[in-house]
Short mmCIF file of all heavy atoms in Angstrom, two decimals:
data_model
loop_
_atom_site.label_atom_id
_atom_site.label_comp_id
_atom_site.label_asym_id
_atom_site.label_seq_id
_atom_site.Cartn_x
_atom_site.Cartn_y
_atom_site.Cartn_z
N ASP B 390 145.41 110.40 -17.06
CA ASP B 390 144.00 110.41 -17.46
C ASP B 390 143.59 109.08 -18.06
O ASP B 390 142.51 108.57 -17.78
CB ASP B 390 143.75 111.54 -18.47
CG ASP B 390 143.58 112.88 -17.77
OD1 ASP B 390 143.18 112.86 -16.58
OD2 ASP B 390 143.86 113.93 -18.38
N GLN B 391 144.49 108.53 -18.88
CA GLN B 391 144.18 107.23 -19.48
C GLN B 391 144.07 106.15 -18.41
O GLN B 391 143.17 105.31 -18.43
CB GLN B 391 145.27 106.83 -20.48
CG GLN B 391 145.12 107.52 -21.81
CD GLN B 391 146.36 107.39 -22.66
OE1 GLN B 391 147.24 106.61 -22.34
NE2 GLN B 391 146.42 108.17 -23.73
N ALA B 392 145.02 106.19 -17.44
CA ALA B 392 144.99 105.20 -16.37
C ALA B 392 143.74 105.39 -15.53
O ALA B 392 143.18 104.42 -15.01
CB ALA B 392 146.25 105.33 -15.53
N ALA B 393 143.28 106.64 -15.37
CA ALA B 393 142.13 106.94 -14.52
C ALA B 393 140.87 106.27 -15.06
O ALA B 393 140.01 105.84 -14.29
CB ALA B 393 141.94 108.44 -14.42
N GLU B 394 140.74 106.17 -16.39
CA GLU B 394 139.53 105.59 -16.97
C GLU B 394 139.32 104.15 -16.54
O GLU B 394 138.20 103.70 -16.36
CB GLU B 394 139.61 105.66 -18.50
CG GLU B 394 139.33 107.04 -19.05
CD GLU B 394 139.69 107.14 -20.52
OE1 GLU B 394 139.75 106.09 -21.20
OE2 GLU B 394 139.94 108.28 -20.98
N LYS B 395 140.43 103.44 -16.38
CA LYS B 395 140.30 102.03 -16.02
C LYS B 395 140.82 101.75 -14.61
O LYS B 395 141.33 100.69 -14.33
CB LYS B 395 141.09 101.17 -17.04
CG LYS B 395 140.43 101.13 -18.39
CD LYS B 395 141.28 100.34 -19.38
CE LYS B 395 142.24 101.25 -20.10
NZ LYS B 395 143.20 100.60 -20.94
N LEU B 396 140.67 102.78 -13.75
CA LEU B 396 141.33 102.68 -12.44
C LEU B 396 140.75 101.57 -11.58
O LEU B 396 141.49 100.79 -10.99
CB LEU B 396 141.27 104.03 -11.71
CG LEU B 396 142.04 104.09 -10.42
CD1 LEU B 396 143.51 103.78 -10.64
CD2 LEU B 396 141.91 105.45 -9.76
N SER B 397 139.40 101.50 -11.51
CA SER B 397 138.84 100.52 -10.57
C SER B 397 139.14 99.09 -11.05
O SER B 397 139.38 98.19 -10.25
CB SER B 397 137.34 100.74 -10.39
OG SER B 397 136.69 100.63 -11.63
N GLU B 398 139.13 98.91 -12.37
CA GLU B 398 139.52 97.60 -12.92
C GLU B 398 140.95 97.26 -12.53
O GLU B 398 141.24 96.18 -12.04
CB GLU B 398 139.49 97.68 -14.45
CG GLU B 398 138.37 96.96 -15.14
CD GLU B 398 138.46 97.26 -16.63
OE1 GLU B 398 139.36 96.69 -17.27
OE2 GLU B 398 137.66 98.11 -17.11
N ALA B 399 141.84 98.25 -12.78
CA ALA B 399 143.26 98.03 -12.50
C ALA B 399 143.48 97.76 -11.01
O ALA B 399 144.28 96.91 -10.63
CB ALA B 399 144.07 99.24 -12.94
N ALA B 400 142.71 98.49 -10.17
CA ALA B 400 142.88 98.33 -8.72
C ALA B 400 142.49 96.93 -8.29
O ALA B 400 143.20 96.28 -7.52
CB ALA B 400 142.05 99.38 -7.98
N SER B 401 141.33 96.46 -8.80
CA SER B 401 140.90 95.14 -8.34
C SER B 401 141.84 94.06 -8.88
O SER B 401 142.11 93.07 -8.21
CB SER B 401 139.44 94.87 -8.73
OG SER B 401 139.34 94.82 -10.12
N LYS B 402 142.35 94.28 -10.10
CA LYS B 402 143.27 93.29 -10.67
C LYS B 402 144.59 93.27 -9.89
O LYS B 402 145.08 92.21 -9.50
CB LYS B 402 143.52 93.64 -12.13
CG LYS B 402 144.30 92.57 -12.86
CD LYS B 402 144.48 92.90 -14.34
CE LYS B 402 145.68 92.18 -14.89
NZ LYS B 402 146.59 92.99 -15.65
N THR B 403 145.09 94.47 -9.62
CA THR B 403 146.40 94.57 -8.95
C THR B 403 146.33 94.10 -7.50
O THR B 403 147.11 93.26 -7.05
CB THR B 403 146.91 96.01 -9.00
OG1 THR B 403 147.09 96.38 -10.35
CG2 THR B 403 148.22 96.16 -8.24
N PHE B 404 145.36 94.66 -6.75
CA PHE B 404 145.38 94.43 -5.30
C PHE B 404 144.70 93.12 -4.89
O PHE B 404 144.53 92.84 -3.72
CB PHE B 404 144.76 95.63 -4.56
CG PHE B 404 145.57 96.88 -4.77
CD1 PHE B 404 145.04 97.98 -5.41
CD2 PHE B 404 146.88 96.93 -4.33
CE1 PHE B 404 145.80 99.12 -5.60
CE2 PHE B 404 147.65 98.06 -4.51
CZ PHE B 404 147.11 99.16 -5.16
N GLN B 405 144.26 92.33 -5.89
CA GLN B 405 143.79 90.98 -5.53
C GLN B 405 144.76 89.92 -6.04
O GLN B 405 144.51 88.73 -5.88
CB GLN B 405 142.38 90.77 -6.08
CG GLN B 405 141.36 91.48 -5.19
CD GLN B 405 139.97 91.51 -5.78
OE1 GLN B 405 139.76 91.11 -6.93
NE2 GLN B 405 139.03 91.98 -4.99
N SER B 406 145.85 90.38 -6.67
CA SER B 406 146.84 89.40 -7.13
C SER B 406 147.77 89.03 -5.99
O SER B 406 147.71 89.63 -4.92
CB SER B 406 147.64 90.00 -8.29
OG SER B 406 148.39 91.11 -7.82
#
Side-chain angles (χ1 to χ4, degrees):
Chain B
D390 279 335
Q391 281 166 11
E394 283 168 22
K395 289 177 269 173
L396 186 59
S397 59
E398 252 175 75
S401 65
K402 188 177 156 229
T403 298
F404 296 117
Q405 282 170 353
S406 65

